[in-house]
Amino acid sequence: MCRVFAGQDPEGYRQINRSIRIAGHSTSIQLEATFWKLLDEIADSQGLTTPKFISKLYDEAIEINGEIPNFASMLRTTCALYLRGHRPCAEDLEALRRQAA
């Protein structure tokens, strides 16, 4: 077994609940600390707060897909896509910044 994975700090996979307003409703999302840190980083890179980023992501996913069977899993895969180098194009980032202002 690789020590990088097996010996990781348990703090990284500690479950954290955050309350967030999505589509006008308060909800609680439970993710591991590492995913929350990544979501904070993604949101910051787009000039948004984490709750605003998550709410916007939810709204856009509903618009595109019509439903989200497991939103927590979608947030985790969003982090994986980000780590693999997927980023919004410059036009999308500029539109986000205008909306956030």
Side-chain angles (χ1 to χ4, degrees):
M1 181 65 55
C2 181
R3 290 189 180 274
V4 170
F5 302 123
Q8 67 182 293
D9 182 357
E11 181 61 25
Y13 53 85
R14 181 175 59 90
Q15 295 284 312
I16 297 175
N17 284 304
R18 287 194 189 176
S19 294
I20 295 180
R21 184 169 287 282
I22 298 176
H25 304 309
S26 288
T27 189
S28 179
I29 299 173
Q30 182 175 320
L31 296 171
E32 295 77 11
T34 297
F35 288 112
W36 283 118
K37 287 179 186 176
L38 281 166
L39 288 169
D40 292 342
E41 182 179 321
I42 295 167
D44 186 60
S45 75
Q46 296 186 35
L48 299 170
T49 64
T50 302
K52 182 70 175 170
F53 169 74
I54 290 172
S55 180
K56 188 155 197 53
L57 177 63
Y58 179 88
D59 291 343
E60 289 180 12
I62 290 293
E63 183 179 316
I64 293 167
N65 300 311
E67 67 176 343
I68 305 168
N70 187 330
F71 190 57
S73 291
M74 182 186 175
L75 292 174
R76 289 183 188 93
T77 57
T78 295
C79 292
L81 288 169
Y82 177 76
L83 291 174
R84 295 178 95 187
H86 296 270
R87 305 289 190 279
C89 67
E91 295 167 355
D92 289 344
L93 283 173
E94 185 56 36
L96 279 170
R97 289 187 181 111
R98 280 195 305 270
Q99 290 175 352

